[in-house]
Structure formats: C-alpha cells, structure tokens
Amino acid sequence: MKIRISDPAAAHELLDALTAADCVAERKAENLLEVDVPWVAGEDDERQARMELSFFVKAWEASRPGFVAVVTP
C-alpha cells in the first residue's frame, strides 16, 4: 500500500511511527511512502489491513494540523 503525504518534512516521523506499529515502511518519493503490513496473510486480509492502516494514519495526522495523508492500494 502507499501513503501520499502533504508535508514531506513529516515523512521521517510518520515512517518511525509506522515502524513502531510493526509495519515495514519505506520512502519512495518526496511525498510518497510504501507500506507493508506484515500480518496480512492473504488477499482476503488486504482490505482489513488497508482499513487499519487508514485508521492509524488518520489518528496520526489528527495531531498535526494541516497535514494530510491518503492511503491507496
């Protein structure tokens, strides 16, 4: 999955938070992160993983006024 972010300066902090949540995250571009949710066992779990990742990212961005992140497949 990918996360497109509005503030590239916050990428490192978000990467650290994702890693602490047992995700594998990598910066692919200035405003793009790629995230693997290792506990996803198969394709049926991908929808659940996307929902959980979206919830995590929305909670994280809530404490950062003006920051926007969008999770995509």
Side-chain angles (χ1 to χ4, degrees):
M1 286 175 274
K2 295 176 177 50
I3 303 173
R4 193 161 303 278
I5 58 174
S6 63
D7 181 6
H12 185 69
E13 190 179 347
L14 180 54
L15 284 169
D16 287 347
L18 289 163
T19 300
D22 295 327
C23 293
V24 178
E26 181 180 355
R27 192 173 192 169
K28 290 297 191 175
E30 186 173 299
N31 67 337
L32 184 66
L33 309 178
E34 188 169 88
V35 182
D36 181 36
V37 183
W39 57 84
V40 175
E43 290 183 30
D44 294 339
D45 295 330
E46 188 174 339
R47 182 174 170 265
Q48 181 66 31
R50 189 176 315 124
M51 286 185 345
E52 289 181 26
L53 182 59
S54 293
F55 178 77
F56 178 89
V57 169
K58 290 299 176 193
W60 190 86
E61 83 178 349
S63 64
R64 287 150 186 88
F67 181 86
V68 178
V70 178
V71 176
T72 60

